């Protein structure tokens, strides 16, 4: 499956859950409000959304280095 292939390129396990984190982060970086992201992800508690987007940009770049999509 595609998640597994990309995960192997990254040297880690990739899952749909990890992709949700990435999606939330992309929306945050694009300027979406926390409330809008929370609604998009279907979170009842905005604190859950905050956890989804807490990873810093440098860490995301490090994790994505070398990944070919």
């Amino acid at each position: 499956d595609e998640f597994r292939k990309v995960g192997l390129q990254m040297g880690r396990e990739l899952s749909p859950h990890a992709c949700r984190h990435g999606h939330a982060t992309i929306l945050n970086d694009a300027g979406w409000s926390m409330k809008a992201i929370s609604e998009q992800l279907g979170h009842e508690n905005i604190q859950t959304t905050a956890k989804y987007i807490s990873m810093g940009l440098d860490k995301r770049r490090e994790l994505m280095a070398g990944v070919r999509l």
Side-chain angles (χ1 to χ4, degrees), residues 10-69:
M10 294 173 63
R12 61 182 286 203
E13 190 172 325
L14 187 61
S15 67
H17 182 76
C19 289
R20 283 177 55 87
H21 279 269
H23 178 67
T25 300
I26 289 167
L27 295 177
N28 183 62
D29 290 349
W32 284 44
S33 71
M34 185 76 71
K35 183 176 187 306
I37 297 169
S38 184
E39 290 172 359
Q40 174 77 24
L41 296 176
H43 292 157
E44 292 182 17
N45 186 328
I46 203 161
Q47 294 295 11
T48 304
T49 307
K51 291 177 185 175
Y52 266 67
I53 61 173
S54 64
M55 186 184 300
L57 182 58
D58 290 338
K59 180 65 175 174
R60 288 188 310 239
R61 285 183 178 148
E62 176 187 327
L63 290 173
M64 292 303 293
V67 173
R68 288 171 271 133
L69 300 176

